[in-house]
Amino acid sequence: MSALQTPVRPDEKSFVSNGRETAPAHRPAGTIEARPAGFWSDLWSVALRSLRALPREPELLIPSLIFPVFFFAVNIGTLQDFAQRGIPGLDYRAFQLPTAIIFAVTGVSRAHAVVTDIQSGYFDRLLMSPVRRLPLVLGMMAADFAQIIILSVPVILLGLLVGVRFETGLLGLLLFLLISGFWGLAFTGFSYAMALKTASAGMVNTTFMLFLPFVFLTTATLPLEALTGWMATIARFNPMTYLLAGLRSLLYGGWQPALLMQAAGAILLVGVVSIGLALAALRGRVTHG
């Protein structure tokens, strides 16, 4: 067997001479040994694997569009005239578009693929490879971001078709798309935390239930000033209230940096909690299996 074909045992140690690592004394010079790839290479490999799976799983993308489109159409059809009579100057179609976007992008993730990998043993094989641990989750989140952007585009196009316009122009539209994407990305941490902790597809699906109180106890259907009592109090402490306000500011009212900063703060708050839980679950999975 030639030097290039000779396997390298993991317990064999090299030595350093003149600042350079050389082959072990009992191994031929020029032996090729496996080396870990860089962080970004690992991240790209995991993300690319996830992206390649998207066209093969239309059953995951299509339902994510049906509900927000249905919600948008029903709310406009039933509440538009009532809301605009009660609140002069309100464009209810523009008011509802951010809510539809939030329904489209929240809870979208590849966490179910993590469950499949764990149950099949593939995840354990990855842990035995030189791949770094963080890209195992962050790479999938990168693919999620692309998936979320793809889901946002049809909803925005629907809004444009029914007459919604961005007073902030093309730049505002692009920022609207990015804010939506980062919100969806921030929320994915809950799904990955559940997947890594339980390895149960059923438990991953329940994470969407975390979203429902967020959206209905906020300004999803009416402006904050139209809410009263305990509903108004909860909405003021709900991060999604500030996310929706930031998105709506891009549609009407012109550039409002304060509202955009509050939206960014809401995304950061949810992201720190959810992604922190996901990384803690990953650490537990790596440590205890």
Side-chain angles (χ1 to χ4, degrees):
M1 184 177 290
S2 67
L4 293 178
Q5 296 171 319
T6 305
V8 178
R9 288 167 30 199
D11 59 338
E12 291 178 334
K13 297 180 179 179
S14 61
F15 62 92
V16 177
S17 175
N18 296 325
R20 297 176 59 188
E21 187 176 358
T22 63
H26 60 284
R27 300 206 45 81
T31 298
I32 297 178
E33 301 183 16
R35 295 181 180 177
F39 175 87
W40 295 109
S41 177
D42 289 342
L43 183 72
W44 172 247
S45 297
V46 175
L48 187 60
R49 174 177 178 256
S50 296
L51 289 172
R52 285 174 174 167
L54 292 181
R56 300 193 296 268
E57 299 175 338
E59 69 278 5
L60 297 178
L61 291 176
I62 294 175
S64 298
L65 283 175
I66 291 176
F67 186 68
V69 169
F70 175 79
F71 185 89
F72 185 56
V74 168
N75 271 7
I76 291 177
T78 58
L79 297 176
Q80 181 176 354
D81 291 342
F82 173 78
Q84 292 183 167
R85 282 199 305 267
I87 307 174
L90 175 67
D91 181 351
Y92 199 66
R93 294 167 299 179
F95 182 83
Q96 276 298 305
L97 181 60
T99 303
I101 280 285
I102 295 307
F103 271 112
V105 305
T106 304
V108 175
S109 77
R110 302 283 303 164
H112 67 279
V114 174
V115 172
T116 301
D117 288 344
I118 293 173
Q119 292 178 347
S120 67
Y122 181 76
F123 192 84
D124 289 333
R125 292 196 294 273
L126 284 176
L127 294 180
M128 295 174 64
S129 71
V131 67
R132 288 167 171 80
R133 301 327 186 209
L134 278 179
L136 294 178
V137 171
L138 298 185
M140 286 193 167
M141 288 184 174
D144 290 338
F145 184 77
Q147 182 179 358
I148 289 165
I149 295 297
I150 292 171
L151 287 171
S152 300
V153 171
V155 181
I156 293 175
L157 289 177
L158 176 62
L160 295 176
L161 286 174
V162 299
V164 176
R165 294 294 178 264
F166 285 80
E167 288 189 9
T168 50
L170 179 60
L171 182 59
L173 189 156
L174 293 176
L175 186 56
F176 184 95
L177 193 60
L178 286 176
I179 292 175
S180 303
F182 281 118
W183 165 259
L185 183 63
F187 207 87
T188 62
F190 294 117
S191 298
Y192 285 108
M194 193 65 71
L196 290 163
K197 184 68 175 179
T198 68
S200 167
M203 292 301 294
V204 170
N205 292 335
T206 63
T207 57
F208 185 74
M209 298 301 295
L210 293 173
F211 163 66
L212 293 179
F214 266 98
V215 70
F216 287 114
L217 297 176
T218 186
T219 56
T221 55
L222 289 172
L224 184 61
E225 56 271 18
L227 301 178
T228 59
W230 62 269
M231 186 72 173
T233 301
I234 293 177
R236 286 190 177 91
F237 289 96
N238 189 334
M240 195 172 291
T241 295
Y242 304 97
L243 171 71
L244 290 170
L247 290 173
R248 287 166 179 152
S249 73
L250 297 170
L251 293 166
Y252 49 84
W255 290 101
Q256 301 179 59
L259 293 180
L260 294 175
M261 290 299 296
Q262 289 173 2
I267 294 171
L268 182 62
L269 174 64
V270 173
V272 167
V273 174
S274 70
I275 296 175
L277 290 174
L279 296 181
L282 175 64
R283 188 181 304 112
R285 174 66 57 177
V286 169
T287 302
H288 305 293

